[in-house]
Amino acid sequence: TVSAMLASTVLSACIGYGAGLGIIADQSGPHHHVQSVPGSNQIQMVHYKSSSYNSPSLEERKARAEYRILREQRVMQKISEQMDRDQAELRGLEKIQLLEQQAKAGTLLP
């Protein structure tokens, strides 16, 4: 019974290992190859260019560039708005500081 348990555990581990390699190979796409190193539990990813791998079309590259520009414009707009708020807050704090200094000096101006 112990040998049967050991055999089933080893078989289960081998099946799981093989399934894991299959999942990794499916996710790695056409330009990766998964190699297992014999006699060890290490997996080696090999990157190579395949003739079946197509570069993005001109339309895709243009769309990506347009999206990137719009995204960066939104970021710049948000930064500009935040800077305006920060500057307004700074002016308010400077006014308060000036009023406190004048109050301490006893020369409160209208």
Side-chain angles (χ1 to χ4, degrees):
T1 60
V2 174
S3 61
M5 252 166 97
L6 181 63
S8 70
T9 302
V10 170
L11 181 61
S12 177
C14 290
I15 291 171
Y17 181 73
L21 287 178
I23 290 170
I24 291 172
D26 289 344
Q27 291 177 348
S28 63
H31 54 284
H32 288 90
H33 178 67
V34 178
Q35 289 180 334
S36 61
V37 179
S40 75
N41 292 333
Q42 295 180 354
I43 298 173
Q44 184 178 24
M45 294 290 286
V46 180
H47 178 76
Y48 63 93
K49 292 206 176 208
S50 172
S51 61
S52 65
Y53 177 73
N54 295 326
S55 61
S57 69
L58 179 61
E59 292 82 14
E60 290 173 319
R61 293 193 331 244
K62 182 181 174 220
R64 288 179 186 167
E66 289 172 347
Y67 173 75
R68 189 173 50 248
I69 289 169
L70 290 173
R71 185 183 65 220
E72 290 170 355
Q73 285 175 339
R74 284 193 306 267
V75 168
M76 288 174 40
Q77 180 66 32
K78 288 180 181 180
I79 290 172
S80 177
E81 291 170 358
Q82 183 62 47
M83 190 168 63
D84 290 343
R85 287 190 297 269
D86 290 344
Q87 287 174 339
E89 181 183 0
L90 178 61
R91 285 190 299 270
L93 292 171
E94 287 172 341
K95 282 183 182 181
I96 292 171
Q97 184 181 28
L98 181 62
L99 290 174
E100 287 178 353
Q101 289 173 351
Q102 290 174 348
K104 285 181 184 177
T107 57
L108 190 60
L109 298 176

